[in-house]
Amino acid sequence: MHELGIAGEILDIALSEAERHRAKTVSEIRLRVGVLRAIEPEHLSFLFGHLAHGTPADGANLSIEEVPVHVDCAACGASEARSFVWECPRCKGSSIEVTGGDSLEIVSIDIQV
Ligand SMILES: [Zn+2]
């Protein structure tokens, strides 16, 4: 249920942004979420809609872009994966470094004044 906390944080940020610009409504919020966060986009949208009920962000569309894990492989270079990996998804080499995939970032918030 960690999506509930995240939905609440996103709502707080969107509402303070709306207030700062004296906006009447928040129409869309775009997010980039790393796949390692294991967030179910539909679940997050549902919870957000529930929390936003009766606020200026009521009915706002949550647009969620999933960001893959970045794998740096000593043998074949760089590739991407959909989850945490212990070997290179391309050449199966074990000399790899896994980075990214755990970000949670609000890209933009669309408001209507
Ligand atoms: Zn490789």
Side-chain angles (χ1 to χ4, degrees), residues 40-53:
E40 199 68 58
E42 278 177 29
H43 191 202
L44 184 60
S45 292
F46 172 79
L47 291 170
F48 180 83
H50 182 72
L51 292 176
H53 193 74

Side-chain angles (χ1 to χ4, degrees), residues 73 76 88 91:
C73 173
C76 74
C88 172
C91 73

Side-chain angles (χ1 to χ4, degrees), residues 7-87:
E9 278 177 42
I10 295 165
L11 180 62
D12 282 350
I13 293 167
L15 290 180
S16 61
E17 195 67 12
E19 200 178 289
R20 207 153 62 86
H21 296 278
R22 300 180 197 284
K24 285 190 190 70
T25 55
V26 177
S27 53
E28 184 171 32
I29 302 163
R30 274 187 290 278
L31 302 170
R32 282 166 61 87
V33 180
V35 290
L36 296 184
R37 288 273 181 155
I39 285 169
E40 199 68 58
E42 278 177 29
H43 191 202
L44 184 60
S45 292
F46 172 79
L47 291 170
F48 180 83
H50 182 72
L51 292 176
H53 193 74
T55 74
D58 198 350
N61 180 39
L62 220 56
S63 165
I64 300 164
E65 182 195 341
E66 288 188 281
V67 183
V69 169
H70 182 83
V71 182
D72 268 324
C73 173
C76 74
S79 60
E80 292 181 340
R82 301 290 303 163
S83 62
F84 192 84
V85 289
W86 298 100
E87 60 181 23

